[in-house]
Each structure stands twice: as C-alpha cells, then as structure tokens.
Amino acid sequence: MSKSPHLPTIYAKFSTNPGEVMNKFANVWVFSDNAARFAELIGGARELGEKVQVFVTQEQKETVLALGADAIYTLSGGSGLTEDYADTLAHCIAQGGGHSLVLLPATRRGKAMAARLGARLNAGVCNDVSVLRADQSGALATHMVYGGLALGEERLVSPVAIVTLGSGTFAPAAPVGGGEEISPEFIAPRNPITCLERRAKQGSNVDLGKAKRVVSVGRGIGNQENIALAGQLSAAIGAELGCSRPVAENEKWMERERYVGISGIMIKPELYLALGISGQIQHMVGANGAQIIAAVNRDKNAPIFQHADYGIVGDLFKIVPVLVRELNK
C-alpha cells in the first residue's frame, strides 16, 4: 500500500523590517527545558549559525559542555522555574546584536518560553517546525497547520527569529568539546510565578522521538490489560511502546509521553507498527515520518491503510500472538 500524497503547502509571512542578505545567522541561541533535546538543537544551530550560544541550568550543564557550543550561559537565581529566566534570556539575546535565531524544543514549556521571548524582543515566532533553513532575509520554516491537513511555510524576517522544533528536525551534534562559560546576571521577572508545591511525575521517561522502532496501540486494543500483548510484540522487535490520543488522554491507559500525534510526539522511526489504530490525520501527522508503516486492523476501510506500506486486515488478538511466536523463534 502506498502512502498518502504530500500535504498541500500554504504560504504565509511574518515581517517587520527585512534584514540584509544572509546565508547564516550571526548568532543562534539555544534553550531547552529537556536536557535530552540539546544535542539535536545544537546540531541545528551549527548548521544555521556562525556562533552557537546555549543557555543551561546548573543541572543541564554537564550534558551540554561537550556538544560544541561557542558559549554556554549558566542560569541561576529565581525559583528555578523555566518561566523565571525569560527576562534574562531576552536581555542576553538583545545584547548579542545582529541577526539572531533562537531555537527551542516544541514542548509545552519550550513554546511558553518562545511566546515570552517573542513579546520581549518584538520577534516573529513559529512553533512545531519540521524543516528550517536560513535564506536571504531570515528564517524559512515549514510546519503543520489546520490540524495537520496542510504544511505552512513562513518566513520570519524580524531581527530575532524564534522557532520551536519538533523532534528529529536536525541530526544530533557530535561531541567536540565545550566553549566559553558565562554566568549572566539574573533579571527577576516583574510578575514571578510562585511554586507552591512540587510532586514527582508519575510515569516513564520514554523518548519516542529517538526510537528506531515503535509499536503503537489504539482503542482497538480493547482495555488496559490487553496492552501487555502489544508489549510482548514490542519486546520481540526491540521497539518502544506508543499509543493514539484516545488511549492516553481519554482512557488514560498510557502516559501522555507515549502519545503519537500532532499535539503529542512527532516520530521518525525506521518502523512504525500500528495495532488497532484507525489512522485519523491528527495521528498520522505524528507517524508519517516513519520509514516503514505497518498496520493491523479488522476494518478494511480504516484510514490507516491509506498510509501503510504493509497492512493486515484481521483480529489483532489472533495476529499479534502469532507474530510474537514467530519473532521469538
């Protein structure tokens, strides 16, 4: 079965005053609330900028030191909440001058920081970017629009361009040694957020964005106990276990970190195996980056088969045990 044709592209433009002709940004600034995303963000920064400068918290510093940034700004002060550092970051970026690009992960906190920086720096912001390059006047970014039904291409030509990147947009930076270490002065926010309580997050620390193989379940799995069957198949092929949005957000059978879709995780594995997933566009936007998509569904008219390279029409409770048995031989 062939995959669906390319999504339509819609063109838009954010502009203030166009800048000078450029092939790379003079400065690329990087910040992430998730230390695991730094390697990819710095990899993108190296491709797009002349000078790579990274903001880190004290806890993230060791992760970033070897990734080849020209300068590492270690943040301190405040309550330790990500939001507390918005004014500090904005001040450093503004002082850097020149045409600048700011890269953040497309996480909830990454997007919240992007919005704050955009307001403070009068900068264009583009979220959930899957393709990014520097052109003659600024940053040219491609991202999903209309709930994943189309691709939007936007040119950000403000002096500072701010972008949140989906997982897998750039190759991770290889370790090459660290650069200059700087301790910027903390600028307290006018209206700080007060942390009243901290609770340990329940669930796993899975990063589906890095998985080479993913087995994902939908509501066709029936109930939470049956997810163990998908887990057996996942173990047999060395895959991570994912799910559709209803399984994570409606039924709450699995953690949200395992939800594949436009408002969940965007993945690019070698293999994506969907069990009991209908294949609505909002889900497939998150999975279409897979090199190979295979599906098992009892409904021969399920949309998933329009995207799948391989499909089996049948009862997953009969098919999966056979696959597990054969794979374990």
Side-chain angles (χ1 to χ4, degrees):
M1 299 182 184
S2 61
K3 294 185 182 180
S4 57
H6 293 297
L7 297 171
T9 302
I10 294 173
Y11 295 91
K13 187 174 182 179
F14 289 137
S15 69
T16 52
N17 296 316
E20 59 197 37
V21 174
M22 54 175 286
N23 293 318
K24 278 193 171 185
F25 287 90
N27 296 299
V28 181
W29 302 84
V30 174
F31 177 76
S32 178
D33 61 304
N34 181 351
R37 294 294 305 277
F38 272 116
E40 181 187 339
L41 293 170
I42 293 173
R46 283 187 194 169
E47 289 187 28
L48 298 168
E50 299 291 347
K51 186 175 183 180
V52 178
Q53 303 179 86
V54 184
F55 296 104
V56 298
T57 61
Q58 191 63 48
E59 295 76 18
Q60 297 169 332
K61 187 175 179 179
E62 290 302 318
T63 301
V64 176
L65 277 175
L67 293 176
D70 296 294
I72 298 173
Y73 289 71
T74 303
L75 302 169
S76 61
S79 66
L81 291 175
T82 299
E83 293 80 0
D84 277 356
Y85 299 122
D87 290 291
T88 305
L89 267 61
H91 176 76
C92 293
I93 293 166
Q95 290 295 308
H99 279 280
S100 298
L101 173 68
V102 182
L103 298 181
L104 305 103
T107 60
R108 291 181 178 181
R109 281 193 154 160
K111 293 176 185 178
M113 179 63 81
R116 286 174 167 80
L117 293 177
R120 288 161 174 76
L121 296 168
N122 193 28
V125 178
C126 191
N127 286 315
D128 297 304
V129 171
S130 57
V131 179
L132 179 65
R133 63 184 178 87
D135 75 353
Q136 293 181 346
S137 59
L140 192 63
T142 302
H143 69 144
M144 296 290 179
V145 295
Y146 301 135
L149 295 176
L151 294 173
E153 193 171 80
E154 299 177 358
R155 181 173 283 111
L156 287 74
V157 296
S158 49
V160 177
I162 300 173
V163 171
T164 66
L165 295 175
S167 180
T169 304
F170 290 100
V176 294
E180 179 185 9
E181 295 183 38
I182 300 170
S183 299
E185 181 181 353
F186 175 69
I187 300 175
R190 291 183 182 178
N191 299 296
I193 296 173
T194 302
C195 180
L196 300 178
E197 182 183 2
R198 293 181 183 270
R199 297 180 183 178
K201 186 175 182 180
Q202 300 299 313
S204 64
N205 293 319
V206 64
D207 188 353
L208 286 186
K210 294 183 178 180
K212 292 186 177 181
R213 304 178 189 89
V214 176
V215 174
S216 206
V217 299
R219 277 192 290 200
I221 199 70
N223 57 54
Q224 189 171 14
E225 289 69 30
N226 290 336
I227 294 174
L229 181 61
Q232 294 173 17
L233 179 57
S234 177
I237 61 174
E240 289 286 358
L241 197 58
C243 65
S244 63
R245 179 176 180 174
V247 171
E249 296 200 338
N250 296 354
E251 306 296 344
K252 301 189 185 304
W253 293 340
M254 297 180 68
E255 307 97 326
R256 196 183 189 283
E257 289 81 3
R258 295 183 183 273
Y259 150 41
V260 177
I262 190 168
S263 56
I265 305 297
M266 310 284 278
I267 60 173
K268 295 184 178 180
E270 296 173 0
L271 171 66
Y272 183 67
L273 178 51
L275 305 177
I277 293 177
S278 63
Q280 298 300 322
I281 186 65
Q282 290 82 1
H283 177 78
M284 297 313 303
V285 162
N288 261 336
Q291 295 178 26
I292 297 175
I293 297 177
V296 178
N297 199 295
R298 67 172 64 198
D299 180 5
K300 66 179 181 181
N301 296 315
I304 187 73
F305 291 125
Q306 297 175 22
H307 302 266
D309 299 285
Y310 303 95
I312 300 175
V313 178
D315 186 344
L316 69 87
F317 297 106
K318 296 179 179 178
I319 294 166
V320 172
V322 174
L323 290 175
V324 171
R325 184 170 64 249
E326 293 299 315
L327 288 165
N328 285 332
K329 282 185 177 180

